[in-house]
Amino acid sequence: MKNVLSLYVSGFSSKENRGIYLYDFDTNSGRLSAKGLVIEAEDPSYLVASSSGEYIYALNEVKKYQGQNTGYVSAYACDKKDGSLTLINQQPTHGENPCHATLDVSHRHLLVANYYGGSVTSIPIEPYHSHIHAFGKPLFTKKHLDLGFQPSHTIPDRQAIPHAHSIDLDPATGTWAISMDLGCDAAVVYRFNKETGELTYHSAFQFEKGTGPRHLKFAPNNYGLCYVVTELSNEVYMLEFNSQEGVFKEVQRITTLPEGFKEVNTPAEIDITPNGKFLLVCNRGHNSIAVFCIDELSGKLSIVDHYPSKGVRPRHFTIDPTGEYLLVANKDSSNIVVFKMNSEEGHLKFLHTVDHPTPSCVLFRP
């Protein structure tokens, strides 16, 4: 593995934040070095990279695009030498505020969750002039309201309408696309056609009302287990997923907060260390990283500790490919913090912080 990795950082547009930025990350020292703005972009709140690192896809989290009530996605070609990005093309997502996406294994489709659209969309990736990873026109969009899902209204200001907050593919078969709907308190399962990109509704797991499921992460060592962070109830749900039948079963719930904390908090990102031993969640409000130990046999979680994020409202984080470092994007304090990770015990040690305007996504280029 290279000693210096490329890190892309994006966020919502402002006078200070103009698009997608590039940093060098030294895996020997854990130091971040700013390389500057690589391309201007409108509200690129979330980034996805192709496995080769040749292409970067950005979700432009807006409500209007070319006069339509929709957000859009941008495909970029990535220069492997200097990390610069060149826009290939853009396509609407057929839903407002796209906020999360995933690539299928063959890199033939990008699946997108539209937050205010309350929908998921499948966008083909196809040849375009000299590029083979451009976006085609979206072919399939599913609105959760049209499928019969109703918003919970348990927390009125957050659950008045469906809110598709993420979409992921099951790693065992790649045939199940799973969307977390924060507004309907549901995990919506679609059958995914790998050839056409079509999404067909299959089943749903209903969370307790007022839970607000946000993001999902499958266990790297056991594809039958996954974990969901719930934004409104401050929990992690451990679920069993039957990849033959496409259904979930609840196993465990555990809070993301320390005992006695009563202030407003909304967890955001969830991830698992490469060795599969620890699960991490960022808390916006408590402003911490909760580290859980994953039981080797049962997969159940137990808390290791809560570590200050060294900033305000950590929205996103990433674990470097070596599994030795954690990089946290504190959106409201405009900084990125680097922690050293103990891969055997799960402890975090603060190393340093870098100022960056309102970061919402941090992504290592493969």
Side-chain angles (χ1 to χ4, degrees):
M1 180 176 291
K2 297 184 297 182
N3 291 335
V4 178
L5 303 176
S6 294
L7 179 81
Y8 290 99
V9 181
S10 65
F12 294 93
S13 301
S14 66
K15 183 184 295 186
E16 295 79 20
N17 193 333
R18 295 161 48 206
I20 303 172
Y21 294 77
L22 179 65
Y23 286 80
D24 282 342
F25 181 72
D26 189 325
T27 58
N28 290 327
S29 65
R31 304 301 296 183
L32 266 180
S33 302
K35 306 294 287 185
L37 179 72
V38 288
I39 197 160
E40 292 192 2
E42 181 185 24
D43 292 326
S45 68
Y46 193 77
L47 304 175
V48 179
S50 65
S51 59
S52 66
E54 296 178 273
Y55 300 92
I56 300 290
Y57 305 109
L59 303 190
N60 302 95
E61 193 172 341
V62 298
K63 285 183 167 63
K64 291 279 188 180
Y65 175 65
Q66 296 183 343
Q68 302 297 312
N69 293 327
T70 179
Y72 63 103
V73 289
S74 303
Y76 299 99
C78 178
D79 188 298
K80 295 284 281 186
K81 292 182 179 179
D82 63 13
S84 61
L85 300 179
T86 302
L87 179 66
I88 301 171
N89 74 334
Q90 297 170 325
Q91 289 287 356
T93 62
H94 292 177
E96 297 169 311
N97 295 87
C99 61
H100 189 269
T102 190
L103 279 168
D104 69 338
V105 175
S106 67
H107 287 44
R108 295 175 59 183
H109 302 92
L110 184 77
L111 305 182
V112 179
N114 299 300
Y115 183 75
Y116 275 107
S119 62
V120 294
T121 300
S122 176
I123 302 175
I125 297 172
E126 56 191 31
Y128 179 83
H129 297 312
S130 61
H131 295 286
I132 60 170
H133 278 234
F135 289 131
K137 292 184 178 180
L139 298 177
F140 303 100
T141 299
K142 296 290 185 180
K143 292 185 177 182
H144 291 175
L145 203 60
D146 292 345
L147 296 173
F149 290 94
Q150 296 297 318
S152 296
H153 296 286
T154 306
I155 302 178
D157 62 332
R158 300 297 309 278
Q159 296 185 307
I161 59 174
H163 289 303
H165 216 316
S166 62
I167 187 164
D168 295 274
L169 286 164
D170 82 288
T173 69
T175 59
W176 303 110
I178 304 152
S179 175
M180 294 298 145
D181 192 309
L182 180 146
C184 298
D185 289 320
V188 185
V189 182
Y190 296 91
R191 188 178 291 277
F192 171 66
N193 187 311
K194 298 179 183 179
E195 297 300 318
T196 66
E198 184 175 5
L199 296 167
T200 304
Y201 172 69
H202 176 74
S203 67
F205 174 84
Q206 200 67 47
F207 294 85
E208 188 173 312
K209 287 186 177 296
T211 297
R214 180 181 171 100
H215 287 176
L216 169 150
K217 189 70 179 180
F218 276 90
N221 301 339
N222 184 345
Y223 290 163
L225 297 178
C226 67
Y227 305 87
V228 178
V229 63
T230 62
E231 182 172 339
L232 304 182
S233 66
N234 301 297
E235 294 172 299
V236 175
Y237 274 63
M238 175 188 171
L239 305 175
E240 288 181 355
F241 183 71
N242 185 323
S243 61
Q244 298 301 312
E245 300 180 5
V247 294
F248 285 104
K249 177 185 177 182
E250 182 181 336
V251 179
Q252 180 194 22
R253 300 184 205 179
I254 189 170
T255 181
T256 69
L257 293 170
E259 186 177 353
F261 186 82
K262 302 298 183 183
E263 297 175 32
V264 175
N265 185 77
T266 52
E269 186 60 302
I270 183 171
D271 205 353
I272 297 174
T273 55
N275 63 11
K277 292 185 176 182
F278 301 98
L279 180 143
L280 288 74
V281 171
C282 55
N283 284 307
R284 296 175 297 180
H286 187 247
N287 296 327
S288 66
I289 306 298
V291 179
F292 300 89
C293 179
I294 302 175
D295 185 87
E296 188 175 356
L297 296 178
S298 68
K300 290 186 176 181
L301 302 177
S302 58
I303 190 67
V304 175
D305 209 343
H306 297 84
Y307 298 88
S309 69
K310 302 293 184 180
V312 181
R313 294 187 64 77
R315 180 184 173 94
H316 194 249
F317 64 81
T318 188
I319 300 167
D320 88 298
T322 70
E324 295 183 5
Y325 297 98
L326 174 71
L327 282 71
V328 179
N330 291 297
K331 179 176 174 287
D332 285 13
S333 55
S334 293
N335 66 322
I336 301 168
V337 179
V338 181
F339 295 90
K340 180 74 172 178
M341 295 186 63
N342 184 315
S343 60
E344 295 304 316
E345 298 180 353
H347 300 308
L348 302 181
K349 178 184 178 182
F350 168 74
L351 291 184
H352 73 109
T353 182
V354 173
D355 291 337
H356 185 94
T358 58
S360 70
C361 184
V362 282
L363 174 75
F364 280 106
R365 185 181 71 189

